Amino acid sequence: MKKTLAALAAATMLMTSVPASADLIVPNLSYRTGPYAPGGIPYADGFNDYFTLLNERDGGIGGEKVVIRECETAYNTEKGVECYEATKGGGALVYNPLSTGITYQLIPKSAADGIPLYTPGYGRTSAANGKVFEWVFNYPANYWDAASVAIRYLLEENGGDLSGKKVALLYHNSAYGKEPIRTLTELSKKHGYELLEIPVDHPGQEQKSQWLQIRREKPDYVLMWGWGVMNAVAIQEAANINYPMENFIGAWWSGAEIDVAPVGMQANGYKSLAMHGTGMDYPVYDDLKKYVIDAGKASGAGDQFGSVLYSRGMYAALVISEAIRKAQEMTGKSSITAADLRNGFEELEITEARMEELGLPKFGQPFKATCADHGGPGAALIQQWDASAKKWNLLTDFIAPDDEVLVPLVLEDSQAFAKENNITERCN
Amino acid sequence: MLYREAGDFKTSYVADSQTFPIKFDRIRYYIIVAIAFGVVPFFINDYWANAVFVPFLIYAIAAIGLNILTGYCGQVSLGTGGFMAVGAYACYKLMTGMPDVPIIVHVILAGFITAGVGVLFGLPSLRIKGFYLAVATLAAQFFLVWLFNKVPWFYNYSASGQITAPERTLFGIAVTGANTPAWAKYLFCLVILFALAWLARNLTRGSVGRRWMAIRDMDIAAEIIGVNPLSAKLSAFAVSSFYIGIAGALFFSVYLGAVEVGEAFGIQKSFLVLFMIIIGGLGSIFGSFAGAAFLVLLPVFLKNFLVGQLGWATDLAAHIELMIVGGLIIFFLIVEPHGLNQLWRVAKEKLRLWPFPH
């Protein structure tokens, strides 16, 4: 007991460091350790570097410097809670934890604390319903959009008919991996394909039995909802059983260089969804190189520059910075609060012209949020890995999801949440 | 020195057999209880509650539970995570099924349900021992996690398979859910821990505990002197699972608020609690507290120190932290294989003889 108290007393002294309050504080709950670090590192680097760029090139946003407070979660929910509690004081503006599990925990907490949660392409899909989820934003696209886009793409490939086909879903056995199941089940009723659910347990390094099952069942297509080391292992296993790579489609969290590169030439032809454009042919990279990389201010080791997940972290930072700008515009002050930022998120519109101004023409889809719609249009691209050139090529333009199926599902799930938590709908 | 027995006379058997026979120990204990109940709730904030105290209190309950089984009764168990999951899911089903019942009732019922499951998985202990039993409980761990992932009824058919604790109150104050005040979380867990630790201490001092220890020390000899291995082992499994189930229920409902079984109650959790009792000291209630404190507080402390104070990169700090914690575990186990509790006991012995050690 004495030891405990001594440790506590020492920790008390350490907890009293409070940052200057005038800056814009953006916590970054990142993970650079553990089995999910391959995805966490580039995302965190892109996120930090974009804000560094704004600070260095423009002197911050609206004259206010952005201060990133990074906290290591290791993709673990207990550490995520600790990080959230440690960073939420001192004017934290927004959370972007890049973990569906942590997001589920933060949804009620952040609403109680009045801090917006921005979860692009992950988290709780039904948070797209702003009538129920006042503090959560997940535009431009979510998991159910992704599942629907993947099926639409397969429909296109098969002349509009999937009946009699067998589609396997290889998923991370967690909240993240289970998210698309509901949509895929609904869509299977509509289009007549057979859905085969194959879970892979955390962390996903052991997939022999799953691929044995795939070899036995011979599905026409395999969709994958994987993350971290699970991706590369799955692609390697697919190569081992000579599964045709062009019939193997990953979600947008299973489509980075780091997932396919270890498999080498055998990964050629592997496809994945993408929320945004890929590659370094965007003007913003010139500025990033000039102000961040060459100035020696890059986050992490600086070796992730331009990768898929780096650009996704950058995209998330971009949307947050635009929301901050919007909030500054709305309040007329440069120093904003988390509640102002929530209003900024809700009024945010990013047009193609704005993306071009920001140095990312044709990178992401334009979207406009409203009080009821926190989910955005939800379209996605399909990209394919070219192993000899070591780059991702975009195969399609943005494919819109099947809202006819998704809208009722989002309503149903969000209303169940509202009922459980006694939330009255807003925006009416 | 304060720490001496001179002048501390016992005139009755009751006085002689009390939990803290030395006056200094007794006073120290009263002071800690007074601070825990009377001072901390007034100063606690969200960070201290959610990052430090609540996890410490909950892990202490789990560690006491496992210590009863492994430390006192000698039955090695690797199923702690699975049993915690039973507690969490039982609590969730009760909370959502009977919303009007006070949360404390749900938590205790969750403990009883887990006790039942624990007895079921304890049955093999009658035939197998040691490492083989550890493997049997490992099967329980994997089976239970698989079950809660597989059967949608357990998570009320939610889209993601997560369970989320709705707001529940006790005496009109929220204890679970996002609007819970920090002090309410803390006090709720503290009261339960205090009651359970008090119960455990007295159970292990009484005839039940002596039966467990007889089984632990040599089961054949215990049977010869009239200890029934069936009742002794199964009661240890039941009591231990009851504690672990309550810890699991609190872990889900009060601490995290939303869990998915594979991540929150995986095999790592079983190992973590086992490490707590090994580092703290097998067969000791104080050791359960010390072990839980060591493994919950040290990483948080190191992180705050390395990142907050020294300004290191978060990934470097996380890696160094693993090394430091691992190194300290090895150090402690080399210096004192019987855990922090033994270290404390030796320190006490030395202090009693000071300044004339022999």
Side-chain angles (χ1 to χ4, degrees), chain A residues 117-185:
Chain A
L117 198 57
Y118 180 52
T119 60
Y122 65 90
R124 185 171 189 142
T125 298
S126 61
N129 184 0
K131 290 183 176 184
V132 174
F133 295 92
E134 188 180 350
W135 293 90
V136 192
F137 299 85
N138 60 5
Y139 45 65
N142 56 49
Y143 293 139
W144 295 356
D145 294 329
S148 169
V149 168
I151 293 300
R152 279 229 156 149
Y153 173 70
L154 294 183
L155 277 169
E156 233 170 77
E157 292 272 281
N158 289 280
D161 184 26
L162 276 178
S163 55
K165 299 275 185 204
K166 202 188 267 184
V167 178
L169 172 69
L170 184 77
Y171 65 97
H172 190 261
N173 202 356
S174 68
Y176 156 59
K178 283 179 186 163
E179 276 275 346
I181 293 176
R182 186 164 285 184
T183 313
L184 290 173
T185 315

Side-chain angles (χ1 to χ4, degrees), chain A residues 1-5 7-15 17 30 32-34 41 70-73 75-79 81-83 85-88 100-102 104-105 108-110 112-113 124 144 172-176 178-179 181-182 201-202 300 413 417 420-421, chain B residues 24 28 32 35 46-48 50-53 56 59 92 148-149 155 157-162 164-167 178-179 185 251 255-260 262-264 268-269 286 289-290 293 297 300-301 303-305 307-309 314-315 318-319 321 332 340 343-344:
Chain A
M1 260 306 167
K2 271 207 168 142
K3 242 181 201 105
T4 323
L5 291 179
L8 290 182
T12 322
M13 288 185 283
L14 295 173
M15 278 310 300
S17 57
S30 64
R32 296 168 180 275
T33 63
I41 292 171
E70 195 161 344
C71 187
E72 170 72 32
T73 67
Y75 202 67
N76 172 300
T77 43
E78 282 169 67
K79 284 191 186 153
V81 170
E82 200 253 308
C83 277
E85 297 292 349
T87 52
K88 81 174 183 191
T100 298
I102 297 176
Y104 265 80
Q105 275 178 339
K109 280 193 209 306
S110 67
D113 292 325
R124 185 171 189 142
W144 295 356
H172 190 261
N173 202 356
S174 68
Y176 156 59
K178 283 179 186 163
E179 276 275 346
I181 293 176
R182 186 164 285 184
D201 280 326
H202 158 91
D413 193 65
F417 180 84
E420 260 175 41
N421 293 281
Chain B
F24 176 73
R28 180 179 59 86
I32 286 174
I35 290 174
D46 276 352
Y47 179 78
W48 279 98
N50 289 326
V52 178
F53 280 109
F56 163 64
Y59 278 118
Y92 174 68
F148 293 128
N149 245 329
Y155 49 84
Y157 306 93
S158 75
S160 57
Q162 285 243 349
T164 310
E167 182 168 306
N179 295 311
K185 271 185 186 190
F251 190 82
Y255 173 37
L256 289 182
V259 298
E260 51 184 292
E263 203 241 340
Q268 304 95 318
K269 196 105 311 164
F286 169 76
F289 281 92
L297 305 184
V300 174
F301 171 76
K303 181 169 139 178
N304 284 330
F305 180 69
V307 179
Q309 213 65 8
T314 50
D315 51 343
H319 287 133
E321 176 195 311
F332 271 117
L340 296 171
L343 219 57
W344 175 234

Side-chain angles (χ1 to χ4, degrees), chain B residues 327-342:
Chain B
L328 280 177
I329 290 172
I330 294 170
F331 173 78
F332 271 117
L333 291 184
I334 290 172
V335 173
E336 187 47 76
H338 296 290
L340 296 171
N341 176 56
Q342 178 68 9

Side-chain angles (χ1 to χ4, degrees), chain A residues 120-402:
Chain A
Y122 65 90
R124 185 171 189 142
T125 298
S126 61
N129 184 0
K131 290 183 176 184
V132 174
F133 295 92
E134 188 180 350
W135 293 90
V136 192
F137 299 85
N138 60 5
Y139 45 65
N142 56 49
Y143 293 139
W144 295 356
D145 294 329
S148 169
V149 168
I151 293 300
R152 279 229 156 149
Y153 173 70
L154 294 183
L155 277 169
E156 233 170 77
E157 292 272 281
N158 289 280
D161 184 26
L162 276 178
S163 55
K165 299 275 185 204
K166 202 188 267 184
V167 178
L169 172 69
L170 184 77
Y171 65 97
H172 190 261
N173 202 356
S174 68
Y176 156 59
K178 283 179 186 163
E179 276 275 346
I181 293 176
R182 186 164 285 184
T183 313
L184 290 173
T185 315
E186 283 299 313
L187 288 169
S188 73
K189 284 180 207 153
K190 185 172 170 181
H191 298 300
Y193 61 85
E194 187 192 336
L195 181 68
L196 191 66
E197 295 165 25
I198 306 175
V200 175
D201 280 326
H202 158 91
Q205 269 159 323
E206 180 50 57
Q207 298 181 25
K208 280 272 182 278
S209 65
Q210 283 86 352
W211 285 94
L212 199 66
Q213 192 183 352
I214 287 173
R215 196 156 73 167
R216 196 173 55 228
E217 307 258 0
K218 297 193 180 61
D220 298 285
Y221 296 98
V222 176
L223 299 180
M224 171 160 73
W225 246 252
W227 187 225
V229 292
M230 170 182 166
N231 292 337
V233 173
I235 295 165
Q236 181 65 60
E237 292 286 352
N240 291 352
I241 67 164
N242 285 326
Y243 190 82
M245 280 296 167
E246 59 278 6
N247 294 344
F248 187 14
I249 304 176
W252 47 57
W253 300 112
S254 310
E257 291 83 358
I258 203 134
D259 303 325
V260 279
V263 188
M265 283 310 292
Q266 286 175 301
N268 191 38
Y270 171 74
K271 289 173 185 167
S272 91
L273 294 164
M275 273 162 60
H276 51 69
T278 167
M280 285 179 60
D281 304 330
Y282 298 98
V284 73
Y285 280 109
D286 300 334
D287 280 357
L288 273 170
K289 187 157 170 41
K290 184 170 153 201
Y291 290 100
V292 181
I293 307 289
D294 291 348
K297 294 195 164 76
S299 160
D303 55 349
Q304 304 291 338
F305 194 55
S307 70
V308 169
L309 290 168
Y310 180 95
S311 57
R312 190 157 311 152
M314 184 179 78
Y315 189 36
L318 178 146
V319 173
I320 290 172
S321 67
E322 285 301 293
I324 291 175
R325 237 184 274 277
K326 184 83 197 171
Q328 287 173 334
E329 200 179 288
M330 285 164 70
T331 55
K333 291 180 296 186
S334 62
S335 163
I336 56 162
T337 64
D340 297 334
L341 181 58
R342 195 210 71 82
N343 298 336
F345 270 116
E346 200 157 271
E347 299 287 318
L348 185 64
E349 179 176 11
I350 295 189
T351 58
E352 181 51 41
R354 182 63 188 151
M355 285 302 279
E356 208 168 319
E357 259 172 52
L358 293 168
L360 283 163
K362 298 214 161 45
F363 178 79
Q365 53 195 321
F367 62 87
K368 183 178 187 325
T370 64
C371 179
D373 178 13
H374 288 191
L381 308 146
I382 304 281
Q383 59 182 11
Q384 188 169 33
W385 178 247
D386 181 347
S388 47
K390 290 201 189 318
K391 69 189 271 271
W392 290 99
N393 296 318
L394 292 175
L395 290 183
T396 65
D397 206 352
F398 277 105
I399 301 174
D402 188 349

